[in-house]
Each structure stands twice: as structure tokens, then as C-alpha cells.
Amino acid sequence: TISPANPTTSSSVTILSNELLQNGDSANGGNLFLNGADGAAPCSACHTISEERLVGPGLGDVYGRAPQADGYQSAEEYLYESIVSPSAVLVDGYTDVMPQNYGVDLTDDEIADLNAYLRSLD
């Protein structure tokens, strides 16, 4: 189960439009996932591209599993919130250990690229 901490007061998901989030470059997102960028650790340090658990939840089929209710308009919004404000959304059974700097260290385009890559895993 994935539960937003407080979706009714969470406003960071409105920073990027769904259009930008839906038009990212999945190849660059894959590179960011594997290698990180500009002080942002690679996602692959804690997440797999299957549904297998590592430190964090596996991200295979994450778009199919991302909530489209509970205050989120789309999987893109949920994943954006998870990247830039990871403490706002915790998956049951996991602790709040995800780095908090992705919203600062990654550009909007890089976040959109990560979103595109995660969408390609479905």
C-alpha cells in the first residue's frame, strides 16, 4: 500500500505540469537512474528496475502501481512528489531513508526524464 502523508496540503506536485512530466527523455532518465547527476545519488543504489525490493521498493511496473487517487491526479504527479519530497509519500514497510536533495540537485527536465524512464519500465 502506498500512502501520501498529507496529499491535501502537498503542493510540490503542481510545480511541473503533467505535459512536461509526460514528455521527458527516457534514455536520459535511464542514465540518471543508473549514474545520478550533480550531487544526486543514482536511484539504482536503492531501487531495482524489477519489482524486487532493495533498500527501497522495486520500480518495475511502478506506473501500474502508482496511486491515481488519494490526492494525486496522475502517476506522474505521484512519482514527481516521490522524487522531490520523498518523505511525503511512504510505501508501507519502508522507512524514510531516501535522500531529500533530488528536488534541488536535479533540474525539472531531469525529473521529467526520470519520470519517462520509470514509465518505460511498465
Side-chain angles (χ1 to χ4, degrees):
T1 304
I2 303 169
S3 305
N6 195 350
T8 59
T9 61
S10 177
S11 62
S12 62
V13 294
T14 61
I15 293 172
L16 292 184
S17 70
N18 272 333
E19 182 179 343
L20 176 61
L21 288 173
Q22 292 171 358
N23 291 314
D25 177 342
S26 64
N28 189 52
N31 182 52
L32 291 167
F33 185 90
L34 292 174
N35 301 306
D38 301 323
C43 308
S44 60
C46 297
H47 298 280
T48 66
I49 59 170
S50 69
E51 292 186 28
E52 181 181 342
R53 178 182 185 142
L54 196 54
V55 174
L59 298 177
D61 190 36
V62 69
Y63 260 71
R65 295 181 286 126
Q68 301 211 1
D70 296 329
Y72 295 99
Q73 297 298 312
S74 66
E76 286 84 8
E77 285 185 356
Y78 166 75
L79 291 169
Y80 177 79
E81 179 83 354
S82 297
I83 294 167
V84 301
S85 300
S87 298
V89 181
L90 295 178
V91 176
D92 288 345
Y94 293 89
T95 57
D96 186 13
V97 296
M98 188 163 153
Q100 304 291 313
N101 63 318
Y102 290 115
V104 174
D105 291 339
L106 298 176
T107 67
D108 290 349
D109 286 334
E110 289 171 327
I111 293 169
D113 294 348
L114 274 172
N115 223 306
Y117 177 69
L118 294 173
R119 187 171 51 250
S120 77
L121 300 177
D122 287 354

Short mmCIF file of all heavy atoms in Angstrom, two decimals, residues 17-43:
data_model
loop_
_atom_site.label_atom_id
_atom_site.label_comp_id
_atom_site.label_asym_id
_atom_site.label_seq_id
_atom_site.Cartn_x
_atom_site.Cartn_y
_atom_site.Cartn_z
N SER A 17 4.24 20.82 -14.85
CA SER A 17 2.99 20.43 -15.49
C SER A 17 3.04 18.96 -15.87
O SER A 17 4.12 18.40 -16.11
CB SER A 17 2.75 21.27 -16.74
OG SER A 17 3.68 20.91 -17.75
N ASN A 18 1.88 18.34 -15.96
CA ASN A 18 1.83 16.95 -16.42
C ASN A 18 2.39 16.85 -17.83
O ASN A 18 2.99 15.85 -18.19
CB ASN A 18 0.40 16.42 -16.37
CG ASN A 18 0.07 15.81 -15.03
OD1 ASN A 18 0.96 15.34 -14.32
ND2 ASN A 18 -1.19 15.82 -14.67
N GLU A 19 2.22 17.90 -18.64
CA GLU A 19 2.74 17.87 -20.00
C GLU A 19 4.26 17.71 -19.99
O GLU A 19 4.81 16.88 -20.72
CB GLU A 19 2.35 19.13 -20.76
CG GLU A 19 2.82 19.14 -22.19
CD GLU A 19 2.40 20.39 -22.95
OE1 GLU A 19 1.48 21.10 -22.50
OE2 GLU A 19 3.01 20.63 -23.99
N LEU A 20 4.95 18.49 -19.17
CA LEU A 20 6.40 18.36 -19.07
C LEU A 20 6.76 16.98 -18.54
O LEU A 20 7.64 16.30 -19.07
CB LEU A 20 7.00 19.44 -18.17
CG LEU A 20 8.52 19.31 -17.91
CD1 LEU A 20 9.31 19.41 -19.22
CD2 LEU A 20 8.98 20.37 -16.94
N LEU A 21 6.08 16.53 -17.51
CA LEU A 21 6.38 15.23 -16.92
C LEU A 21 6.17 14.10 -17.93
O LEU A 21 6.85 13.10 -17.90
CB LEU A 21 5.54 15.00 -15.67
CG LEU A 21 5.94 15.84 -14.46
CD1 LEU A 21 4.92 15.66 -13.34
CD2 LEU A 21 7.32 15.47 -13.98
N GLN A 22 5.21 14.25 -18.81
CA GLN A 22 4.90 13.20 -19.79
C GLN A 22 5.82 13.24 -21.01
O GLN A 22 5.79 12.33 -21.81
CB GLN A 22 3.45 13.29 -20.22
CG GLN A 22 2.50 12.95 -19.09
CD GLN A 22 1.05 13.24 -19.43
OE1 GLN A 22 0.73 13.74 -20.49
NE2 GLN A 22 0.17 12.92 -18.50
N ASN A 23 6.63 14.29 -21.15
CA ASN A 23 7.46 14.43 -22.35
C ASN A 23 8.95 14.37 -22.07
O ASN A 23 9.75 14.93 -22.81
CB ASN A 23 7.12 15.75 -23.07
CG ASN A 23 5.74 15.71 -23.67
OD1 ASN A 23 5.39 14.73 -24.31
ND2 ASN A 23 4.96 16.73 -23.44
N GLY A 24 9.32 13.66 -21.03
CA GLY A 24 10.74 13.52 -20.71
C GLY A 24 11.45 12.57 -21.66
O GLY A 24 10.83 11.84 -22.44
N ASP A 25 12.76 12.55 -21.59
CA ASP A 25 13.62 11.70 -22.41
C ASP A 25 13.97 10.45 -21.59
O ASP A 25 14.77 10.53 -20.66
CB ASP A 25 14.86 12.49 -22.78
CG ASP A 25 15.88 11.70 -23.58
OD1 ASP A 25 15.84 10.46 -23.59
OD2 ASP A 25 16.75 12.35 -24.19
N SER A 26 13.37 9.32 -21.94
CA SER A 26 13.57 8.11 -21.13
C SER A 26 15.01 7.61 -21.18
O SER A 26 15.49 7.04 -20.20
CB SER A 26 12.59 7.01 -21.54
OG SER A 26 12.82 6.59 -22.86
N ALA A 27 15.72 7.81 -22.29
CA ALA A 27 17.12 7.38 -22.35
C ALA A 27 17.97 8.16 -21.35
O ALA A 27 18.78 7.58 -20.63
CB ALA A 27 17.67 7.54 -23.77
N ASN A 28 17.77 9.47 -21.29
CA ASN A 28 18.50 10.27 -20.30
C ASN A 28 18.06 9.89 -18.89
O ASN A 28 18.87 9.83 -17.97
CB ASN A 28 18.31 11.77 -20.54
CG ASN A 28 19.23 12.58 -19.65
OD1 ASN A 28 20.43 12.36 -19.62
ND2 ASN A 28 18.66 13.51 -18.90
N GLY A 29 16.76 9.61 -18.72
CA GLY A 29 16.27 9.18 -17.41
C GLY A 29 16.93 7.88 -16.97
O GLY A 29 17.26 7.72 -15.79
N GLY A 30 17.13 6.96 -17.90
CA GLY A 30 17.82 5.71 -17.58
C GLY A 30 19.25 5.96 -17.14
O GLY A 30 19.75 5.33 -16.20
N ASN A 31 19.92 6.90 -17.81
CA ASN A 31 21.28 7.26 -17.42
C ASN A 31 21.30 7.88 -16.02
O ASN A 31 22.15 7.54 -15.20
CB ASN A 31 21.87 8.24 -18.45
CG ASN A 31 23.29 8.61 -18.11
OD1 ASN A 31 24.14 7.74 -17.91
ND2 ASN A 31 23.56 9.90 -18.02
N LEU A 32 20.34 8.76 -15.74
CA LEU A 32 20.24 9.35 -14.40
C LEU A 32 19.96 8.28 -13.36
O LEU A 32 20.51 8.31 -12.26
CB LEU A 32 19.15 10.41 -14.37
CG LEU A 32 19.42 11.69 -15.15
CD1 LEU A 32 18.14 12.50 -15.29
CD2 LEU A 32 20.50 12.50 -14.48
N PHE A 33 19.08 7.33 -13.69
CA PHE A 33 18.73 6.26 -12.77
C PHE A 33 19.98 5.46 -12.40
O PHE A 33 20.19 5.13 -11.22
CB PHE A 33 17.68 5.34 -13.40
CG PHE A 33 17.18 4.27 -12.48
CD1 PHE A 33 16.07 4.51 -11.67
CD2 PHE A 33 17.79 3.03 -12.42
CE1 PHE A 33 15.60 3.52 -10.81
CE2 PHE A 33 17.33 2.05 -11.55
CZ PHE A 33 16.22 2.30 -10.75
N LEU A 34 20.80 5.16 -13.39
CA LEU A 34 22.00 4.33 -13.16
C LEU A 34 23.18 5.11 -12.59
O LEU A 34 23.97 4.56 -11.83
CB LEU A 34 22.42 3.66 -14.46
CG LEU A 34 21.47 2.60 -15.00
CD1 LEU A 34 21.93 2.13 -16.36
CD2 LEU A 34 21.34 1.44 -14.03
N ASN A 35 23.33 6.38 -12.97
CA ASN A 35 24.54 7.12 -12.65
C ASN A 35 24.36 8.34 -11.76
O ASN A 35 25.35 8.90 -11.28
CB ASN A 35 25.24 7.55 -13.95
CG ASN A 35 25.59 6.36 -14.80
OD1 ASN A 35 26.24 5.44 -14.35
ND2 ASN A 35 25.13 6.37 -16.05
N GLY A 36 23.13 8.81 -11.58
CA GLY A 36 22.91 10.03 -10.80
C GLY A 36 23.39 11.24 -11.56
O GLY A 36 23.78 11.16 -12.73
N ALA A 37 23.38 12.41 -10.92
CA ALA A 37 23.83 13.64 -11.56
C ALA A 37 23.99 14.75 -10.55
O ALA A 37 23.18 14.88 -9.63
CB ALA A 37 22.82 14.08 -12.61
N ASP A 38 25.04 15.54 -10.70
CA ASP A 38 25.20 16.79 -9.95
C ASP A 38 24.89 16.68 -8.47
O ASP A 38 24.08 17.43 -7.94
CB ASP A 38 24.33 17.89 -10.57
CG ASP A 38 24.67 18.14 -12.03
OD1 ASP A 38 25.86 18.07 -12.36
OD2 ASP A 38 23.75 18.40 -12.81
N GLY A 39 25.49 15.72 -7.80
CA GLY A 39 25.27 15.57 -6.37
C GLY A 39 24.11 14.67 -6.00
O GLY A 39 23.93 14.33 -4.84
N ALA A 40 23.31 14.29 -6.98
CA ALA A 40 22.18 13.39 -6.72
C ALA A 40 22.65 11.95 -6.92
O ALA A 40 23.14 11.60 -7.99
CB ALA A 40 21.02 13.71 -7.66
N ALA A 41 22.51 11.15 -5.88
CA ALA A 41 22.92 9.75 -5.96
C ALA A 41 22.08 9.01 -7.00
O ALA A 41 20.93 9.38 -7.25
CB ALA A 41 22.75 9.09 -4.59
N PRO A 42 22.63 7.97 -7.63
CA PRO A 42 21.84 7.21 -8.59
C PRO A 42 20.70 6.47 -7.89
O PRO A 42 20.87 5.92 -6.80
CB PRO A 42 22.84 6.23 -9.20
CG PRO A 42 23.94 6.12 -8.20
CD PRO A 42 23.98 7.44 -7.48
N CYS A 43 19.55 6.45 -8.54
CA CYS A 43 18.39 5.74 -8.00
C CYS A 43 18.70 4.25 -7.82
O CYS A 43 18.21 3.60 -6.90
CB CYS A 43 17.18 5.89 -8.93
SG CYS A 43 16.79 7.58 -9.37
#
